[in-house]
Amino acid sequence: MEPASLENLCVLYHSANYIVVNKHWDIRIDSKMWYEKQTVQSQLKHRFPELADPGTYYGFRFCHQLDFSTSGALCVALNKAAAGHAYRCFKDRLVTKAYLALVRDIVAEEKMALDFAIGKNTTEGKTHMMCTEGTDGCENPKTCQTELTVLEYGEYDGDPVTKVLLQPLTGRTHQLRVHCSAVDHPIVGDYTYSLRTDNAPYRMMLHAYFLHIPLENELIHVTAPDPFVPTLDSKWAPQRCVNVLEDLLKNILTKPQTEIQEDPEPVHRRSSPVESEEQQAQCQQWLCEWSLD
């Protein structure tokens, strides 16, 4: 990827109601800090000034979040009604997302179901992090699930790594990063969850590859090009392919809804009958800007 700039905005999908962009790994979605001039929000205002809504704080309504150092597909709603429709799809777990990642060492199991509950870390010096249930200082852990599938084995800068496909079945803060770290396969370049030891790579190797939002009157079905290929990063040297990415995506979309979305619900309802804190916060942010019809 070229360096992040106001002009360097890659649009993957554009309709009257939504834009999906390929977020750069070195840029925030938005910021209230006056000195942060370069964000996805400012990129959108630069490219599409006529689409910015002066009635909102950021000018655009982001349908979901990506961490600062995560690249890939990010959906933006262009009006109040569109944002409401997208919010309901996310709330009802109708959205399918899949991420690509390079993780440290060799993942022995070809498929893994990661179901560690995640909560806020209240330990001094780690309050910006999340943690798994049972960790000292873990507050209010919530049930969450991630499916991990091995794609390739290889090396990154001479060290053994595994390229994986991650499908989050829930949407907790830092879920994929915490889950990978919990099974001793932290994401390459994740400075935070490697406890500040993995600082050599130029970025964190996590990419939002696939986004499928089945809206009532519009289907958003987008892939953001895979950045973890040798032609783009010569330090990544794949050695053995285990699963073909395109085949896995077909299986994800044809998998019965009950299998990928309904299974975690009984546990979720017993432990937390209301929306998660993340969902409530997202909803409150939207409601502060506009009212749902």
Side-chain angles (χ1 to χ4, degrees), residues 5-283:
S5 67
L6 284 179
E7 294 77 18
N8 184 18
L9 177 68
C10 177
V11 177
L12 302 171
Y13 176 89
H14 189 187
S15 70
N17 294 311
Y18 301 93
I19 294 176
V20 180
V21 301
N22 185 8
K23 177 191 169 296
H24 196 282
W25 59 267
D26 193 25
I27 196 169
R28 297 187 188 280
I29 292 177
D30 47 46
S31 177
K32 293 182 179 179
M33 302 300 179
W34 63 269
Y35 53 83
E36 289 202 85
K37 306 293 186 183
Q38 199 162 268
T39 61
V40 176
Q41 167 232 346
S42 60
Q43 287 181 321
L44 288 166
K45 281 187 175 180
H46 180 78
R47 174 80 71 87
F48 305 106
E50 73 283 0
L51 297 180
D53 186 346
T56 65
Y57 186 88
Y58 293 117
F60 293 89
R61 299 173 176 89
F62 296 97
C63 299
H64 55 115
Q65 295 290 315
L66 292 178
D67 291 344
F68 165 64
S69 49
T70 301
S71 59
L74 174 67
C75 185
V76 183
L78 298 179
N79 54 68
K80 293 189 291 187
H85 295 321
Y87 170 73
R88 282 186 281 273
C89 280
F90 277 93
K91 181 177 182 294
D92 294 338
R93 295 188 179 183
L94 301 177
V95 177
T96 302
K97 296 187 288 183
Y99 292 70
L100 294 173
L102 297 182
V103 300
R104 290 291 179 188
D105 298 319
I106 301 301
V107 179
E109 296 182 52
E110 182 179 330
K111 294 182 182 293
M112 298 178 68
L114 311 179
D115 58 1
F116 304 96
I118 293 176
K120 294 181 179 179
N121 196 329
T122 61
T123 304
E124 185 177 356
K126 296 182 179 181
T127 55
H128 61 294
M129 301 172 64
M130 306 297 284
C131 55
T132 56
E133 187 174 22
T135 304
D136 289 342
C138 188
E139 181 181 88
N140 196 25
K142 301 288 186 180
T143 301
C144 55
Q145 295 191 342
T146 302
E147 291 186 352
L148 180 153
T149 305
V150 171
L151 293 170
E152 294 177 286
Y153 295 119
E155 293 184 347
Y156 189 84
D157 202 16
D159 295 322
V161 299
T162 306
K163 186 174 181 177
V164 298
L165 183 72
L166 300 169
Q167 187 188 358
L169 304 185
T170 49
R172 308 296 181 209
T173 301
H174 297 179
Q175 175 176 321
L176 301 181
R177 299 165 65 184
V178 174
H179 271 175
C180 288
S181 179
V183 292
D184 297 322
H185 295 291
I187 295 172
V188 174
D190 190 344
Y191 182 70
T192 298
Y193 289 98
S194 67
L195 301 180
R196 303 181 179 182
T197 61
D198 197 354
N199 58 2
Y202 71 97
R203 62 162 292 182
M204 180 175 71
M205 305 300 174
L206 180 62
H207 177 73
Y209 177 73
F210 177 71
L211 180 65
H212 179 88
I213 309 178
L215 297 150
E216 185 175 346
N217 297 315
E218 183 175 352
L219 174 63
I220 296 177
H221 183 96
V222 175
T223 57
D226 178 4
F228 308 136
V229 293
T231 53
L232 296 177
D233 189 346
S234 60
K235 291 184 178 182
W236 161 234
Q239 296 173 340
R240 181 165 70 90
C241 179
V242 179
N243 285 290
V244 178
L245 179 57
E246 291 73 16
D247 293 341
L248 292 180
L249 286 183
K250 291 177 184 177
N251 292 337
I252 287 174
L253 287 175
T254 57
K255 189 182 295 185
Q257 292 286 347
T258 52
E259 184 178 344
I260 65 172
Q261 292 174 347
E262 296 297 336
D263 282 354
E265 278 298 310
V267 175
H268 180 71
R269 289 194 183 108
R270 287 198 300 269
S271 61
S272 179
V274 297
E275 291 179 326
S276 69
E277 293 178 6
E278 290 88 354
Q279 290 173 322
Q280 291 176 354
Q282 184 79 75
C283 184

